[in-house]
Amino acid sequence: MARQERAVRTRRAILEAAASVFDERGYDAATIADILARAGVTKGALYFHFASKQELAQGVLDEQFGEAGVPSRESKLQELVDVAMLLAHRMKFEPMLSAGARLSLGPGMREIFGGGSVPGWIEFTRELLVQAKQQGELLPHVDPAETAWILSACWTGAQIYSQTLNDRADIEDRVASVYQHIYPSISTPAMLGRLDMAPDRGHRVALELESLAEGKAGAGAPGAGAGAGADAGARTGAGVGFAARR
């Protein structure tokens, strides 16, 4: 068990180092030597987990989905906003997310990664919109597949513009504006009035996740309430399990 935990930590350290290097230098300019120096691991340890630079980059792309997990919401439109705003909040300081965007959208990346994480985000958005329509949250004319493409494209455009113009300082405001402008054209009036699309929503969701994680960790401590911990774990798991649905 201890060896397995060390392997998990080593793999994560390598991915975080790779994300930082890819984010700073881009895929073509990044080297295995750069990543090794940043991660502080041996070449053998790196190649045990990843056979090539391309596999490392794919690992960074795959990690994006785990970084954006949120607790499951009764309203799937709210859940979709929460994912979008959490990503916007974390992209400002987490290289794993900004590197994923660069690997997905950079010149020549489609030939290497086939669109990177973009197809996965479109499909994830579509699935939540399908659930929202089944629950009566969407107007009758809304096509989940078409709307998923538009929402994903608008989110991507907002983050690219924000990065280009002011290093993502206003990304949360811009992403919030995307949903505030689009949701009135797809949501039922009754649902629209219940949705929280404020620019600080991502920060509040991040705090919620921290609280759930602390509750889950505390459940294993002497005297901790097992029921509370199990509930926290169930809600957290419901939010972070969507990577497998890509």
Side-chain angles (χ1 to χ4, degrees):
M1 183 62 70
R3 182 179 300 175
Q4 185 178 15
E5 290 174 355
R6 284 197 300 272
V8 170
R9 289 197 297 269
T10 298
R11 185 180 187 278
R12 179 67 186 186
I14 293 168
L15 281 175
E16 289 179 348
S20 296
V21 174
F22 289 138
D23 193 34
E24 293 169 10
R25 305 180 188 180
Y27 179 76
D28 290 334
T31 67
I32 292 294
D34 294 332
I35 296 167
L36 283 172
R38 190 72 59 92
V41 301
T42 66
K43 185 179 292 187
L46 186 148
Y47 282 114
F48 175 79
H49 292 283
F50 303 97
S52 65
K53 184 172 78 169
Q54 184 172 340
E55 277 196 15
L56 265 170
Q58 188 62 56
V60 170
L61 287 167
D62 292 343
E63 284 294 311
Q64 283 191 92
F65 294 90
E67 297 292 317
V70 303
S72 182
R73 310 296 191 194
E74 179 181 352
S75 165
K76 296 307 168 183
L77 286 180
Q78 184 66 63
E79 190 170 333
L80 188 55
V81 170
D82 288 356
V83 170
M85 295 307 302
L86 181 65
L87 279 170
H89 173 68
R90 287 183 167 170
M91 186 167 276
K92 294 187 295 183
F93 54 83
E94 292 190 11
M96 195 73 72
L97 294 174
S98 52
R102 184 165 184 171
L103 290 169
S104 296
L105 305 169
M109 293 298 98
R110 185 175 69 84
E111 288 73 17
I112 301 173
F113 301 110
S117 60
V118 172
W121 285 121
I122 294 173
E123 176 58 17
F124 168 70
T125 302
R126 187 195 69 81
E127 289 185 8
L128 278 182
L129 288 172
V130 167
Q131 293 177 52
K133 189 159 191 175
Q134 291 171 345
Q135 295 180 177
E137 299 180 43
L138 299 181
L139 295 171
H141 72 275
V142 175
D143 178 355
E146 181 180 4
T147 305
W149 197 100
I150 293 169
L151 275 172
S152 299
C154 289
W155 191 101
T156 299
Q159 77 89 8
I160 290 174
Y161 274 32
S162 179
Q163 179 186 19
T164 301
L165 296 175
N166 57 20
D167 198 27
R168 296 196 181 101
D170 65 347
I171 185 172
E172 291 172 274
D173 294 286
R174 299 305 182 184
V175 171
S177 292
V178 165
Y179 285 83
Q180 290 165 7
H181 278 74
I182 294 177
Y183 266 22
S185 67
I186 67 171
S187 172
T188 62
M191 178 55 61
L192 187 64
R194 296 165 49 193
L195 298 174
D196 183 348
M197 296 180 280
D200 69 338
R201 178 66 181 177
H203 176 64
R204 287 184 280 119
V205 172
L207 292 177
E208 178 186 3
L209 288 171
E210 290 176 10
S211 178
L212 288 173
E214 290 171 359
K216 183 178 180 181
D231 179 61
R235 285 178 287 164
T236 305
V240 301
F242 65 79
R245 304 203 303 268
R246 289 184 297 126

